[in-house]
Structure formats: structure tokens, C-alpha cells
Amino acid sequence: EYVIGFVEAKGTFSFGTSGPKSVKTPTFQLRVGVEDESLLIAIRDSMGLKSRIYRYQDKRSKGGGYCLLIVREIGSLKNTVIPLFLNGLVGERAANIRQRLEKIGEDPEVPERYKILFRLYKRDYYKKPKN
């Protein structure tokens, strides 16, 4: 529940661009100030993610910079991020992840291998089983 609350406040589901053709890659990101890097590491580790945490210096920001966890690996998105947050988030973040999943299915610039995320979503793969 703590992680879900943290994602409500600081998480983003979006698309990153990379490579020479600038393809759109679905990503999940968490951003914190450098002073909270250990918290970000703990969240990443508790979720079982192997994703790298990037550290950026920003002299304009309080604390001197920020840390960013970026999850773009399809297995981590499919098996950890989406199942955990799709049914756990509420409000704007819940709508955001659903919109992003729809966009994955519609956007021709998203690599075909990521389309599985959309297909699983549409087939209710991520729905919590009712007790």
C-alpha cells in the first residue's frame, strides 16, 4: 500500500524515445530528490525490479538534483508494474495507466513487442480475481 501511495504522488506512466529511429517505448518512472535515493532503491528492490536508477545533478533544484527509476523492460512492465498498479491506483494515475495501455495498442510508433501489454489489458488479464 505504501508503494501504491508513493506512485500516486510521484509515478508516471509514459513513453520514452530512444534509438536512431526514436521509437516510442512504454515506461514507468518514479522521481525523487537525491536525498531520497535510498527510498527509491528500497521501492525498486521491494518490487523485484532490476531497473537502473539514474542520478541527475540540477543546481536549480533544492537538494542539488534528483534520482529517476525508469522501467522500460517489457517483462517488468507486464509482470510487476502493470498488475500492481492497474488495480491499486485511483484517480488521475489510474486513468493515466489505462490511457497509456490504450495508446500502446493504437500507436504505430510503439514497437510490436510491447503490443502484448495492450492485448493482455483488453483481455482482462490484469483484473484482480474476486474473492
Side-chain angles (χ1 to χ4, degrees):
E1 290 176 353
Y2 178 83
V3 172
I4 290 173
F6 196 83
V7 170
E8 272 295 338
K10 305 269 186 182
T12 305
F13 297 92
S14 63
F15 294 93
T17 55
S18 62
K21 295 183 181 181
S22 293
V23 296
K24 289 183 182 176
T25 303
T27 63
F28 165 70
Q29 299 179 17
L30 276 176
R31 179 179 167 164
V32 298
V34 291
E35 66 278 3
D36 290 325
E37 182 177 15
S38 61
L39 175 61
L40 196 56
I41 291 167
I43 289 171
R44 177 198 62 194
D45 294 349
S46 74
M47 293 175 65
L49 299 171
K50 304 290 184 212
S51 301
R52 181 175 169 196
I53 293 176
Y54 298 87
R55 194 171 226 235
Y56 297 97
Q57 298 301 315
D58 185 355
K59 293 181 172 103
R60 296 172 294 156
S61 73
K62 190 167 57 172
Y66 61 94
C67 295
L68 188 62
L69 169 66
I70 303 175
V71 180
R72 56 176 76 92
E73 301 83 15
I74 193 164
S76 296
L77 292 169
K78 176 184 159 285
N79 299 319
T80 305
V81 173
I82 294 171
L84 182 61
F85 301 124
L86 190 60
N87 295 306
L89 297 174
V90 296
E92 182 182 335
R93 296 288 189 245
N96 176 258
I97 191 169
R98 286 178 175 79
Q99 289 169 350
R100 297 299 185 224
L101 286 167
E102 292 286 343
K103 180 125 174 117
I104 289 169
E106 299 167 358
D107 194 329
E109 293 182 25
V110 173
E112 190 60 37
R113 68 183 180 276
Y114 284 94
K115 302 287 185 179
I116 187 71
L117 302 174
F118 169 74
R119 290 190 298 272
L120 291 171
Y121 166 68
K122 290 309 258 187
R123 292 182 182 143
D124 293 331
Y125 176 81
Y126 297 114
K127 278 203 174 172
K128 278 186 183 179
K130 294 183 180 178
N131 295 335

